[in-house]
Amino acid sequence: MTEATAPGVIVSVRGSVVDMRFADHLPPVHALLRAGNGQQVVIEVQSQLDAQRVRGIALTPTQGLARGMPVLDSGGPLLTPVGKGILSRMFDVFGHAIDHRPEPVGVQWRSVHQPPPPLGRRSTRSEVFQTGIKAIDVLVPLERGGKAGLFGGAGVGKTVLLTEMIHNMIGHHEGVSIFCGIGERCREGEELYRDMRQAGVLDNMVMMFGQMNEPPGCRFRVGHAALTMAEYFRDDEHRDVLLLIDNIFRFIQAGSEVSGLMGQMPSRLGYQPTMSTELAGLEERIANTDNGAITSIQAVYVPADDFTDPAAVHTFSHLSASIVLSRARASEGLYPAIDPLQSNSKMATPGIVGERHYRLAQEIRRTFAQYDELKDIIAMLGLEQLSPQDRAVVARARRLERFLTQPFFTTEQFTGLGGRLVSLEDALDGCERILADEFRDCPESALYMIGTIDEARSKWQAGRTGTPTTPAAEAPHASAADAA
């Protein structure tokens, strides 16, 4: 850390906004200043007012500050720790450990303000990032080094889906996962940390939180700090990184608060005039290069469900995939509760995923769309009133719905079902065989919560011979198969 030098004086304090005067030199924008008793108040310079005065935003509460107090220039910007020592740890925006364990040793400190990788270093190939989750890999393929938005309300399975992706990334892709909580509730952070530790995925994971009770300056910078950690693992360790951000809207919201405090003229709907630039500065650092890739999955809150809101519009322009979770599907027990008709991906083109995958995904969507149109008729008149062709469509759609469910490794302790990691080829093969009516006589329940399609036949035959097929009976078999 750079030694603090060049004292200045506080001129005024207005909430989180602090004006300071420096006689000898003027600190640059983004310089970190310290003030108050014990230098506990941390201030980041936002603008230079004249030859001697700067205006900054406090990253910590400003209680106790007063005019005339001395201010020390730390000589550099906000820094964050990087290195192998940060794995399995939880940090705040300043790089301090908040998991009640000693501070990490053997780490380097880097500025959170890094430029995005130049175009010359970026990979121009479009590669699919396989998650091992059937519904995502088949219908909403993610891009390696791309950004996916995860839309969903409370209780529909966002955290479980994120946890499973972290498990698959670490256990089967030899990568690193970084969870960045922007404006998170402390309860959510504590629960996620505990769940990750119980699931056994904490060893190759880093967590960083800027809680919702912290000042806007702190919440605005926590995303940049987490990205600096991700860039270390990509560029120095040459490892693939899965970066999970919850919630990207709160980053925009914190920027809007900072802009308002600084007295900038608000733009449309009260957002900051620099929103597009600030969001791009964060999102453009998420990229795949010749060293590795940072793949990001971001929870996105849409204000008042208005998709024309500037925050949603600017976020959508950066996303390569949108995963929409449906409360209706969650209430039916169809987990992961991904809505196949509202979710989409830019990777789902014949040139990237291949002709067969594209054709199957389109056929699955068409089947679900036809089933959706028939639901009202079924509710009013009953399934018997449909034509034989429509009944066949309904049967295929219901079997596809159940086949696209999947037992997760991170929920084994709750369901008693052994988790499954399904390859893309096995997932496509299962969907193709269901669409070809190969499982027309197979009961729907045999396709529910399985891995590959071959499990359905063995489950069906076991049911016909009277062999117990309860979750408790299946769990040891699943564990043995996974171990093999």
Side-chain angles (χ1 to χ4, degrees):
M1 301 284 286
T2 311
E3 288 294 326
T5 56
V9 176
I10 293 178
V11 177
S12 68
V13 181
R14 298 185 304 280
S16 292
V17 181
V18 184
D19 287 359
M20 296 147 287
R21 180 186 294 111
F22 288 81
D24 298 333
H25 85 295
L26 206 60
V29 173
H30 295 156
L32 214 62
L33 314 177
R34 294 182 177 274
N37 297 326
Q39 310 299 318
Q40 293 298 313
V41 180
V42 182
I43 305 163
E44 184 182 67
V45 175
Q46 293 289 324
S47 65
Q48 298 175 332
L49 301 178
D50 54 36
Q52 288 191 323
R53 291 186 308 143
V54 294
R55 177 167 292 169
I57 286 283
L59 306 186
T60 55
T62 55
Q63 282 91 342
L65 283 192
R67 291 171 62 185
M69 276 189 171
V71 181
L72 296 182
D73 182 359
S74 68
L78 178 65
L79 303 176
T80 197
V82 297
K84 292 183 179 178
I86 66 173
L87 290 172
S88 79
R89 304 302 302 272
M90 184 192 290
F91 298 95
D92 63 12
V93 72
F94 304 108
H96 301 145
I98 53 174
D99 51 7
H100 303 294
R101 290 163 59 191
E103 294 290 338
V105 294
V107 297
Q108 307 169 34
W109 291 82
R110 291 187 183 173
S111 167
V112 304
H113 305 284
Q114 301 288 345
L119 286 175
R121 280 191 53 216
R122 294 187 183 227
S123 172
T124 55
R125 290 183 300 163
S126 292
E127 297 178 62
V128 173
F129 174 80
Q130 293 192 22
T131 63
I133 299 169
K134 291 179 286 190
I136 292 177
D137 289 345
V138 172
L139 295 171
V140 202
L142 304 185
E143 181 182 6
R144 180 176 178 266
K147 297 169 273 287
L150 183 60
F151 304 84
V156 295
K158 284 199 304 297
T159 303
V160 173
L161 193 56
L162 292 179
T163 311
E164 185 71 5
M165 286 186 187
I166 293 169
H167 179 279
N168 294 352
M169 175 74 177
I170 293 169
H172 305 279
H173 293 80
E174 297 182 353
V176 177
S177 292
I178 296 179
F179 185 92
C180 174
I182 304 176
E184 281 290 283
R185 299 168 183 85
C186 60
R187 169 186 60 79
E188 293 173 338
E190 190 273 332
E191 286 175 359
L192 187 67
Y193 181 82
R194 192 174 64 240
D195 292 345
M196 295 296 162
R197 189 171 55 192
Q198 290 174 352
V201 300
L202 200 60
D203 289 342
N204 278 303
M205 185 177 177
V206 186
M207 302 175 78
M208 176 167 275
F209 287 96
Q211 293 169 208
M212 59 169 44
N213 66 314
E214 296 187 271
C218 168
R219 287 181 272 123
F220 186 61
R221 286 294 174 224
V222 71
H224 299 96
L227 257 171
T228 304
M229 292 178 172
E231 287 165 342
Y232 164 81
F233 288 109
R234 179 191 66 191
D235 299 334
D236 294 40
E237 299 274 339
H238 295 194
R239 298 173 73 176
D240 281 1
V241 182
L242 181 64
L243 175 65
L244 305 150
I245 301 177
D246 186 9
N247 186 307
I248 200 66
F249 173 77
R250 294 185 192 140
F251 167 77
I252 295 172
Q253 198 172 38
S256 178
E257 291 178 50
V258 169
S259 175
L261 288 167
M262 293 296 294
Q264 293 179 354
M265 182 73 72
S267 182
R268 184 170 164 234
L269 295 186
Y271 285 106
Q272 63 271 41
T274 53
M275 176 174 64
S276 178
T277 309
E278 290 168 358
L279 185 62
L282 185 77
E283 298 278 10
E284 286 301 302
R285 290 170 65 181
I286 303 170
N288 53 341
T289 67
D290 43 10
N291 293 324
I294 300 176
T295 303
S296 175
I297 300 169
Q298 308 170 6
V300 183
Y301 167 70
V302 180
D305 293 331
D306 177 16
F307 285 86
T308 64
D309 187 274
V313 170
H314 285 287
T315 304
F316 282 134
S317 65
H318 293 280
L319 300 178
S320 56
S322 299
I323 303 170
V324 179
L325 299 183
S326 159
R327 191 171 300 281
R329 293 177 74 82
S331 66
E332 294 174 30
L334 300 173
Y335 289 105
I338 295 169
D339 189 321
L341 299 179
Q342 292 192 58
S343 304
N344 63 78
S345 169
K346 294 178 182 176
M347 301 295 285
T349 62
I352 297 174
V353 298
E355 191 64 47
R356 175 179 176 242
H357 184 168
Y358 175 76
R359 177 179 50 80
L360 275 172
Q362 291 297 95
E363 184 62 31
I364 292 166
R365 280 203 167 86
R366 192 178 301 116
T367 304
F368 281 137
Q370 289 174 308
Y371 177 42
D372 209 44
E373 291 173 358
L374 293 168
K375 279 182 178 176
D376 288 342
I377 299 174
I378 296 169
M380 288 187 292
L381 303 176
L383 190 64
E384 298 76 17
Q385 300 302 316
L386 296 180
S387 66
Q389 292 89 345
D390 286 345
R391 279 205 295 271
V393 167
V394 171
R396 282 185 216 116
R398 289 181 63 84
R399 281 164 177 76
L400 280 170
E401 275 184 340
R402 278 142 188 81
F403 176 64
L404 290 175
T405 62
Q406 188 168 337
F408 284 172
F409 291 96
T410 49
T411 57
E412 285 180 3
Q413 55 187 329
F414 308 112
T415 63
L417 292 167
R420 302 288 196 280
L421 186 81
V422 184
S423 70
L424 175 61
E425 190 54 42
D426 286 339
L428 291 174
D429 179 58
C431 294
E432 194 170 41
R433 289 165 70 180
I434 291 172
L435 288 169
D437 287 338
E438 187 178 324
F439 290 83
R440 180 174 49 200
D441 300 324
C442 179
E444 295 171 2
S445 58
L447 293 157
Y448 181 67
M449 285 295 169
I450 60 171
T452 62
I453 195 71
D454 293 328
E455 289 182 39
R457 199 169 289 284
S458 58
K459 195 174 176 182
W460 179 25
Q461 290 169 351
R464 291 170 69 184
T465 56
T467 307
T469 57
T470 59
E474 289 176 6
H477 167 73
S479 300
D482 292 331

